[in-house]
Amino acid sequence: MTIQWFPGHMTRARRQIQDKLKLIDLAIELMDARIPISSRNPMIDEILGNKPRLILLNKADLADPAVTAEWVQRLKRDGVDALPIDSISGTNVKEIIPRCKHLLKDRLEAQIRKGMKPRPIRALIVGIPNVGKSTLINRLAGRKAAITGDRPGVTKGQQWIRIAGELELLDTPGILWPKFEDQQVGVRLAAIGSIKDEVIHPEDVAFHVIRYMVPHYPQALCERYQLEGLPGDLTEPEPVIEVMEMIGRRRGCLQSGGTVNLEKASALFLRDLRDGKLGRISLEHPGE
């Protein structure tokens, strides 16, 4: 299975970002806290170069807090400042401007020593589609300054947005890369909704998530779907299908003859995952 995803507007977005780099002081990069590595575009490092960077682990309210804490420490060891946030509830959003100021502390202090009044910090906000950039901008601005949506590809162009006189944000469309070398990256992105469901079949995505959740979050599956137990070995496809059939029967996803409609059950399961109804789940761990 080869997943390719590079609409024309994403190609333009990359070129536009590179053109604006000379105007910005730092970059704010959003990742999804549930899949930090899979939800960051490896081209971003190449595009941004040595620009100071703040990483925001967004949707942290949906992720396993213990795993998120490990990611913050991992990124810190790599020399990157990282902050878990949730742009919908506002968790830690007020910490963003102070973190930006800290990253530019030397420059701001030098301007003050020269008797200059520091201008607003200019920051480029980047991330893959559907990672929550527009929702975050609206939360920071206290108004509907950016278009939001629960699907990839909502933001089509660039716009400058002033935040409380201290920060100016340049919003950009989400950028995915031309081809996923690791196909599991594409599946994880599809699991959280960053890739349109038409790209990868929902059953494939749901089966992948179940295969991960059985050893890591068995209780979450049992509690959500009132299951008494789970198969122990999911290295073969049959036990994964068995779990999905158990879920489908519990949720009434039956078809003619009393068999489970796996497509319907898979779609229901993914909707529960994305809505946080399975609890706080992370699908990547720093140690893996």
Side-chain angles (χ1 to χ4, degrees):
M1 176 175 62
T2 299
I3 306 167
Q4 301 204 31
W5 173 274
F6 214 160
H9 78 270
M10 293 185 182
T11 307
R12 292 192 298 273
R14 174 178 178 170
R15 186 168 58 249
Q16 290 168 354
I17 288 172
Q18 291 171 323
D19 291 342
K20 293 291 193 301
L21 280 181
K22 60 182 177 295
L23 301 177
I24 68 165
D25 303 310
L26 61 82
I28 297 175
E29 180 183 357
L30 265 69
M31 302 178 189
D32 191 298
R34 296 166 292 180
I35 53 168
I37 296 301
S38 293
S39 63
R40 74 184 308 248
N41 185 329
M43 291 194 306
I44 290 296
D45 291 334
E46 175 189 341
I47 294 170
L48 297 179
N50 295 323
K51 284 287 181 182
R53 192 180 317 184
L54 172 64
I55 287 180
L56 302 179
L57 297 172
N58 195 26
K59 305 186 183 181
D61 289 9
L62 296 175
D64 185 329
V67 176
T68 299
E70 291 187 43
W71 278 114
V72 170
Q73 291 302 312
R74 163 72 177 272
L75 290 164
K76 185 176 181 180
R77 288 196 300 270
D78 292 341
V80 181
D81 190 15
L83 176 67
I85 69 161
D86 186 79
S87 56
I88 295 177
S89 67
T91 302
N92 286 340
V93 169
K94 290 183 178 179
E95 293 294 317
I96 294 174
I97 292 179
R99 291 288 184 103
C100 290
K101 289 181 175 179
H102 181 73
L103 285 170
L104 299 173
K105 180 181 177 182
D106 293 342
R107 195 204 74 181
L108 296 174
E109 289 180 348
Q111 290 177 345
I112 292 172
R113 285 195 302 269
K114 293 177 182 178
M116 301 168 59
K117 181 181 179 181
R119 60 166 171 74
I121 295 170
R122 292 173 182 162
L124 177 76
I125 185 164
V126 296
I128 65 169
N130 207 31
V131 79
K133 296 189 305 300
S134 298
T135 303
L136 174 61
I137 289 170
N138 292 341
R139 167 69 65 170
L140 284 167
R143 65 185 191 278
K144 191 173 182 180
I147 300 172
T148 62
D150 61 355
R151 65 192 188 281
V154 172
T155 304
K156 300 296 185 183
Q158 294 182 327
Q159 56 179 328
W160 282 101
I161 300 161
R162 175 162 286 199
I163 309 296
E166 298 182 282
L167 181 67
E168 292 179 350
L169 286 177
L170 177 61
D171 187 17
T172 61
I175 305 177
L176 282 173
W177 46 102
K179 180 180 178 181
F180 301 124
E181 299 299 334
D182 181 352
Q183 298 304 305
Q184 290 192 44
V185 169
V187 175
R188 292 182 191 124
L189 287 169
I192 65 169
S194 285
I195 294 178
K196 294 178 181 179
D197 288 334
E198 294 83 358
V199 176
I200 309 177
H201 200 284
E203 286 182 45
D204 294 333
V205 179
F207 290 171
H208 172 90
V209 175
I210 286 174
R211 188 174 288 110
Y212 184 87
M213 285 189 66
V214 167
H216 291 89
Y217 300 102
Q219 196 62 28
L221 287 170
C222 291
E223 289 180 359
R224 174 61 182 167
Y225 301 109
Q226 300 178 337
L227 306 178
E228 295 181 359
L230 298 169
D233 182 12
L234 271 75
T235 56
E236 297 296 328
E238 286 78 10
V240 180
I241 295 173
E242 182 182 343
V243 173
M244 186 58 72
E245 288 179 337
M246 293 165 67
I247 292 171
R249 290 187 185 281
R250 282 292 188 183
R251 299 307 299 271
C253 301
L254 300 177
Q255 55 192 4
S256 177
T259 59
V260 173
N261 183 326
L262 292 176
E263 184 173 356
K264 183 177 179 181
S266 297
L268 180 147
F269 171 77
L270 290 177
R271 190 162 56 249
D272 283 352
L273 175 73
R274 294 166 184 171
D275 291 344
K277 292 180 179 178
L278 291 166
R280 301 181 68 173
I281 304 295
S282 293
L283 298 178
E284 285 182 339
H285 190 282
E288 294 172 345

